[in-house]
């Protein structure tokens, strides 16, 4: 049972691994041009494991920004994961704290999306490890490969593969949208708010995602709670509450 | 790059790990008010909306058509019932052909 879940997790995580391939490869290449050694580049992917923050760090390193500022920036960019892991904790089976502490290292935007939109009622630890492991492996290995070979991937393929992660998000979202108005409204409202931040430049991407997600999730929940109250009110009155 | 790089890396690692670890590890078994758990259950779909749009349009800098084709193809394959993997590979395939001929 445990093994079966682990392999199912690996399989579910395969699309993430494919999506990470070009991103990690490019990161390895850019790290090299920013002056990082192969060890330093690989270590960043191994220990930090956060795509956007790593890219930002490279540009800040190149601009000789103070390391403390780079760390602060990393925290700000990753604050949104508070929200995601809080949401995910509702779906995970109970487990020893230290085990959860281990696999929580593997929660990224992508692994979160795969786990959170899974059809399973509850997600087992083995499944989470499967998803996290294949994604992490791809990220670390292809960072190293990128540092070594870099731009040797044909340009048209590099361009085409830049869509991979977004295509994966679409592939995860659309099945849940079908016949579910609440999901359509959640995604639509969050995308609208995010677009507002994107085009006005009012917030940086990390904060914008956090705010869009939170506002949409709360607003839509309010609409649905009020709606349920209205439809239930007669029943409640009969009960004499 | 010397020792300072490794200190920075440690700081970055903690700054990334802590937001991932704390809620997942310490929220278990806590009974949350229904409205809070309702909001938390909404988050995956809202996050996906915010992650996809509008960023998908701008994956290739200065080439909006590329992003639009990618978005339409991905939605189409997913809507027709394709698995996540076929959405990913199908969209890459179409865009590879597009990039090859432009």
């Amino acid at each position: 049972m445990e093994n079966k879940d682990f392999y199912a997790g690996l399989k579910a995580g395969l699309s993430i691994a494919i999506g990470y391939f070009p991103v990690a490869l490019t990161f390895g290449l850019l790290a090299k041009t920013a002056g990082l050694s192969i060890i330093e580049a690989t270590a960043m992917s191994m220990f930090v494991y956060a795509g956007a923050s790593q890219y930002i760090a490279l540009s800040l390193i190149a601009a000789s920004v103070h390391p403390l500022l780079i760390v602060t920036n990393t925290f700000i960019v990753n604050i949104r994961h508070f929200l995601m892991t809080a949401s995910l904790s509702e779906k995970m089976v109970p487990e020893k704290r230290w085990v959860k502490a281990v696999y929580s290292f593997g929660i990224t935007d992508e692994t979160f999306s795969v786990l959170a939109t899974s059809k399973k009622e509850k997600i087992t630890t083995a499944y989470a490890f499967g998803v996290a492991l294949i994604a992490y492996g791809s990220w670390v290995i292809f960072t190293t490969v990128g540092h070594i070979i870099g731009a040797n991937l044909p340009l048209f393929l590099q361009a085409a593969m830049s869509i991979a992660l977004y295509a994966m998000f679409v592939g995860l979202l659309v099945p849940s949208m079908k016949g579910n108005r609440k999901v359509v409204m959640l995604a639509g409202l969050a995308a609208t708010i995010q677009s507002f931040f994107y085009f006005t430049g009012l917030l940086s991407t990390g904060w914008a995602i956090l705010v869009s997600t939170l506002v949409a999730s709360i607003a839509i929940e309010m609409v649905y709670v009020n709606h349920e109250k209205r439809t239930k009110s007669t029943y409640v009155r009969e009960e004499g509450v | 790059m010397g020792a300072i790089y490794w200190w920075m890396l440690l700081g970055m690692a903690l700054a990334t790990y802590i937001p991932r670890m704390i809620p997942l590890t310490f929220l278990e078994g806590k009974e949350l008010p229904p409205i809070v758990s309702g909001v938390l259950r909404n988050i995956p779909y809202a996050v996906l909306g915010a992650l996809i749009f509008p960023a998908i349009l701008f994956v290739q800098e200065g080439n909006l058509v590329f992003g639009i084709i990618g978005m339409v193809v991905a939605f189409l394959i997913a809507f027709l019932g394709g698995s996540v993997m076929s959405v990913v590979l199908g969209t890459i395939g179409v865009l590879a052909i597009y990039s090859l001929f432009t």
Side-chain angles (χ1 to χ4, degrees), chain A residues 36 40 49 78 85 87 90 94-95 97 100-101 104-105 107 159 162 166-167 178 190 194-195 198 213 217 221, chain B residues 1 5 13 16-17 19-21 23 25 28 32 37 40-42 46-47 50 53 58-60 66 79 85 87 96:
Chain A
L36 267 59
E40 288 166 341
Y49 187 36
N78 289 318
T85 44
S87 167
E90 296 261 304
E95 184 57 81
R97 278 211 170 133
K100 285 194 157 181
S104 66
F105 178 80
I107 304 300
S162 63
Y166 295 99
K178 279 189 182 171
Q194 176 69 15
S195 301
Y198 188 94
T213 302
S217 299
E221 193 61 24
Chain B
M1 236 145 289
Y5 178 82
T16 308
Y17 180 58
R20 289 175 181 172
M21 184 270 283
T25 311
E28 183 186 310
L32 296 169
S37 63
L40 288 178
R41 270 196 290 272
N42 288 347
V47 165
F53 199 82
F58 305 105
V59 280
Q60 284 299 300
F66 184 96
F79 190 77
M85 191 61 74
V87 175

Side-chain angles (χ1 to χ4, degrees), chain A residues 9 12-17 20 49 80-81 83-89 91-92 103-104 106-120 123 127-128 131-132 135 164-176 183 187 209 213, chain B residues 20 24 40-53 84 88:
Chain A
L14 190 61
S15 57
I16 307 177
Y20 279 176
Y49 187 36
R80 65 180 188 282
H81 287 133
L83 214 56
M84 296 189 200
T85 44
S87 167
L88 200 58
S89 75
K91 222 183 160 177
M92 302 306 303
Y103 75 67
S104 66
I107 304 300
T108 60
D109 292 352
E110 292 77 17
T111 51
F112 164 76
S113 307
V114 166
L115 293 173
T117 58
S118 157
K119 301 275 179 300
K120 301 167 188 291
I123 291 176
Y127 187 83
V131 172
L165 288 176
Y166 295 99
M168 185 195 80
F169 289 142
V170 171
L172 290 170
L173 178 62
V174 169
S176 320
V183 170
I209 288 175
T213 302
Chain B
R20 289 175 181 172
L24 204 54
L40 288 178
R41 270 196 290 272
N42 288 347
I43 281 171
Y45 309 109
V47 165
L48 283 171
L51 285 173
I52 295 168
F53 199 82
V84 178
V88 171

Side-chain angles (χ1 to χ4, degrees), chain A residues 137-190:
Chain A
S138 166
W139 184 250
V140 174
I141 290 167
F142 289 115
T143 298
T144 316
V145 173
H147 197 281
I148 300 168
I149 64 156
N152 285 355
L153 204 66
L155 266 181
F156 80 96
L157 206 57
Q158 282 188 42
M161 291 192 91
S162 63
I163 200 81
L165 288 176
Y166 295 99
M168 185 195 80
F169 289 142
V170 171
L172 290 170
L173 178 62
V174 169
S176 320
M177 282 173 124
K178 279 189 182 171
N180 193 333
R181 214 153 137 202
K182 194 177 182 184
V183 170
V184 175
M185 286 165 69
L186 281 164
L189 183 58

Side-chain angles (χ1 to χ4, degrees), chain A residues 4-238:
Chain A
K4 218 181 88 209
D5 278 3
F6 179 71
Y7 288 121
L10 286 179
K11 197 168 160 238
L14 190 61
S15 57
I16 307 177
I18 292 175
Y20 279 176
F21 167 75
V23 188
L25 212 66
T26 314
F27 174 76
L29 170 73
L30 288 180
K32 189 181 190 172
T33 59
L36 267 59
S37 71
I38 192 164
I39 304 280
E40 288 166 341
T42 308
M44 194 187 278
S45 283
M46 273 178 84
F47 298 120
V48 180
Y49 187 36
S53 330
Q54 290 181 222
Y55 273 98
I56 296 168
L58 282 188
S59 61
L60 297 181
I61 289 170
S64 313
V65 169
H66 194 280
L68 215 59
L69 209 64
I70 300 180
V71 172
T72 312
N73 186 283
T74 305
F75 184 69
I76 290 170
V77 171
N78 289 318
I79 261 176
R80 65 180 188 282
H81 287 133
F82 267 117
L83 214 56
M84 296 189 200
T85 44
S87 167
L88 200 58
S89 75
E90 296 261 304
K91 222 183 160 177
M92 302 306 303
V93 293
E95 184 57 81
K96 292 182 202 74
R97 278 211 170 133
W98 71 267
V99 178
K100 285 194 157 181
V102 171
Y103 75 67
S104 66
F105 178 80
I107 304 300
T108 60
D109 292 352
E110 292 77 17
T111 51
F112 164 76
S113 307
V114 166
L115 293 173
T117 58
S118 157
K119 301 275 179 300
K120 301 167 188 291
E121 181 68 29
K122 282 282 179 186
I123 291 176
T124 63
T125 305
Y127 187 83
F129 266 105
V131 172
L133 205 68
I134 192 165
Y136 181 68
S138 166
W139 184 250
V140 174
I141 290 167
F142 289 115
T143 298
T144 316
V145 173
H147 197 281
I148 300 168
I149 64 156
N152 285 355
L153 204 66
L155 266 181
F156 80 96
L157 206 57
Q158 282 188 42
M161 291 192 91
S162 63
I163 200 81
L165 288 176
Y166 295 99
M168 185 195 80
F169 289 142
V170 171
L172 290 170
L173 178 62
V174 169
S176 320
M177 282 173 124
K178 279 189 182 171
N180 193 333
R181 214 153 137 202
K182 194 177 182 184
V183 170
V184 175
M185 286 165 69
L186 281 164
L189 183 58
T192 308
I193 302 170
Q194 176 69 15
S195 301
F196 168 76
F197 288 128
Y198 188 94
F199 292 113
T200 58
L202 218 59
L203 291 177
S204 62
T205 311
W207 284 105
I209 288 175
L210 182 85
V211 173
S212 312
T213 302
L214 203 54
V215 171
S217 299
I218 292 172
I220 301 294
E221 193 61 24
M222 291 304 172
V223 170
Y224 273 77
V225 168
N226 284 336
H227 181 74
E228 272 166 31
K229 260 190 201 142
R230 271 200 302 278
T231 48
K232 272 185 192 162
S233 56
T234 35
Y235 172 77
V236 174
R237 236 174 274 133
E238 276 166 16

